[in-house]
Amino acid sequence: MKVTINQNGNTYAVAISGRIDTTTADQFLADVQPLLNAETPDITIDCKEMEYTSSQGLRIFLTIQKSVNSHGGSLVLTNMDPKVREVFDITGFSGIIRIV
């Protein structure tokens, strides 16, 4: 898994490539943790190259969403592969996290 972060004020563009699973989820959280401490963070995560997410990855996305909400910011996931989107749909996460 590779995470790339670009910042413009409190707006963050994050790109994920690879798999988010039990071996990479903690690193993903560590990579985005500094963003969650920002005042009103607006985070867009480009999932175009994200191949897979496990329940651990879903937990991280939920953690990000909760933190962003508590700071008055926003979270949007974009360019999600249909197979990965299906995981979000089946688990109900697409009703919690905005996916475009």
Side-chain angles (χ1 to χ4, degrees):
M1 179 208 59
K2 180 180 176 189
V3 177
T4 305
I5 301 172
N6 293 306
Q7 178 182 2
N8 184 4
N10 282 343
T11 302
Y12 302 92
V14 179
I16 303 171
S17 63
R19 300 170 55 92
I20 301 176
D21 54 27
T22 55
T23 60
T24 60
D26 289 338
Q27 183 59 51
F28 176 46
L29 181 58
D31 290 342
V32 298
Q33 188 66 51
L35 286 56
L36 305 181
N37 298 326
E39 196 172 312
T40 62
D42 292 321
I43 302 171
T44 300
I45 300 178
D46 186 342
C47 301
K48 182 178 181 179
E49 295 185 22
M50 184 172 71
E51 300 165 0
Y52 170 84
T53 185
S54 69
S55 60
Q56 291 288 13
L58 291 173
R59 179 182 58 82
I60 301 303
F61 283 108
L62 185 59
T63 299
I64 294 168
Q65 181 67 65
K66 287 181 177 181
S67 180
V68 166
N69 286 350
S70 71
H71 288 92
S74 66
L75 172 65
V76 178
L77 306 182
T78 63
N79 301 317
M80 193 173 285
D81 180 273
K83 290 179 183 178
V84 175
R85 172 67 187 253
E86 185 177 13
V87 172
F88 279 78
D89 291 342
I90 289 171
T91 58
F93 276 68
S94 56
I96 298 169
I97 301 170
R98 184 171 170 223
I99 303 172
V100 295

